[in-house]
Amino acid sequence: MSVGQDVVETSCFVNCLNTLSTPTLDIFLPLSDDAAACMTLWTAIILGAVEGLTEFLPISSTGHLILVGHALGFTGAHAVSFEIAIQLGAILSVAVYFRRRLWGLLQQFPSDPTSRQTGLGLGVAFLPAAVVGLATHSWIEAHLFGPVTVAGALVVGGVVMLVIEHTVKAFPITGVEEVGLRAAWWVGVAQCFSLFPGVSRSAATIMGGMLVGMDRRTATEFSFLLALPTMIAATGYKILKSHALLFQEDPLLFPLGLAVAFLTGLLTVAAFLSYIKQHTFKPFAYYRIVLGICVLAVLG
């Protein structure tokens, strides 16, 4: 516990409040550039597990990675690049889980109207966040990647999820093959909100799907399929842009984090799809609200 420290904005920690004589936990204090660049075997394993466990749940993987990264003392440009790049492991887990559906979709796309509508729908849903993300990603990384913004987004997102669960009762769309281009477009618009760290791409797209009439399982499956083009674009861009940072220490740490994210992601996707058949998203909403409030309380 440290008392009487001035906490100021830095490139690694842009959201901490300026305080005097306010108790704050050391794990949330800004670190020096040398400390921010430090990475260990356990850091890679823990962050990989956090990514795989949270990427497809509506609780924000980016938000959890930021919070855990600060707790582990792993922050800064290297941390941001690593946390985004290991999403490739989560992408692979979805591709493996839905491999038969994806292969059938590719095979039937030229001749089958239903497959063509699904493919075009995923493309339409991908566009809004791709355009907005390309225009704003640098500003978002510089100004919004911090515990305060994440905690606030967790709370607000949890409240929105509860409101949607309590108000939306009609679900005429009961299969991914029934998702039209208009519904897909609005899911894509909802995905733009996930660019704000802590909102959750999964939560934004699933809730967007429910708002346009998808039942919970359909909205979840569409969200998972939409993750493929969205995360491939975002992760591929980050790897190309920051590949030197990813391998600046032990070159095995990035592949290790990616592998852990893949294995935990595969288990999480299977468990979550089984869970959502008979349950609502309310527990995840409550979890978001409690976590966000706790983080804000710790930050003072």
Side-chain angles (χ1 to χ4, degrees):
M1 184 76 71
S2 300
V3 180
Q5 305 239 4
D6 280 321
V7 183
V8 296
E9 288 192 345
T10 70
S11 60
C12 299
F13 190 67
V14 297
N15 292 289
C16 194
L17 302 175
N18 292 320
T19 58
L20 263 180
S21 302
T22 302
T24 55
L25 289 181
D26 289 339
I27 61 173
F28 289 114
L29 291 176
L31 302 166
S32 68
D33 290 340
D34 291 339
C38 181
M39 185 178 184
T40 67
L41 177 71
W42 282 110
T43 301
I45 293 174
I46 291 171
L47 291 179
V50 170
E51 164 61 25
L53 287 169
T54 61
E55 180 61 52
F56 301 108
L57 302 181
I59 57 176
S60 178
S61 63
T62 301
H64 279 75
L65 288 170
I66 290 172
L67 295 176
V68 173
H70 276 81
L72 295 174
F74 184 55
T75 61
H78 184 201
V80 172
S81 298
F82 181 84
E83 290 162 3
I84 293 177
I86 59 174
Q87 291 179 348
L88 180 60
I91 296 170
L92 292 174
S93 69
V94 169
V96 169
Y97 187 86
F98 287 105
R99 61 190 181 279
R100 292 187 179 86
R101 175 177 289 189
L102 290 170
W103 180 242
L105 185 65
L106 290 173
Q107 282 186 313
Q108 300 171 20
F109 184 84
S111 57
D112 179 45
T114 301
S115 297
R116 191 156 51 245
Q117 175 174 285
T118 300
L120 291 175
L122 291 171
V124 167
F126 164 74
L127 285 176
V131 173
V132 176
L134 189 62
T136 63
H137 76 277
S138 296
W139 186 90
I140 289 173
E141 284 187 10
H143 296 88
L144 299 181
F145 270 56
V148 172
T149 51
V150 167
L154 285 170
V155 173
V156 172
V159 172
V160 171
M161 288 173 65
L162 289 177
V163 170
I164 292 174
E165 280 283 11
H166 281 290
T167 57
V168 179
K169 302 299 182 183
F171 305 111
I173 303 174
T174 58
V176 171
E177 65 280 356
E178 299 175 17
V179 178
L181 296 184
R182 183 175 180 179
W185 168 259
W186 285 114
V187 172
V189 171
Q191 185 170 233
C192 293
F193 290 98
S194 68
L195 296 171
F196 194 104
V199 169
S200 167
R201 191 207 64 81
S202 181
T205 52
I206 291 173
M207 293 300 109
M210 290 176 62
L211 285 173
V212 297
M214 300 182 200
D215 63 21
R216 291 181 183 86
R217 183 174 178 87
T218 300
T220 302
E221 290 187 355
F222 190 83
S223 171
F224 286 2
L225 293 173
L226 179 57
L228 289 172
T230 303
M231 293 171 63
I232 287 172
T235 304
Y237 176 82
K238 176 54 65 176
I239 291 175
L240 289 175
K241 185 179 178 182
S242 307
H243 65 278
L245 288 174
L246 295 174
F247 297 97
Q248 71 179 16
E249 297 174 350
D250 188 335
L252 295 179
L253 292 181
F254 169 55
L256 174 63
L258 189 149
V260 174
F262 168 76
L263 292 174
T264 54
L266 192 61
L267 294 173
T268 301
V269 168
F272 186 50
L273 286 173
S274 176
Y275 167 88
I276 209 60
K277 290 179 181 179
Q278 298 180 345
H279 300 84
T280 72
F281 295 106
K282 291 180 182 179
F284 299 101
Y286 292 128
Y287 168 79
R288 290 175 61 113
I289 294 170
V290 171
L291 177 62
I293 292 174
C294 289
V295 172
L296 291 173
V298 168
L299 292 175

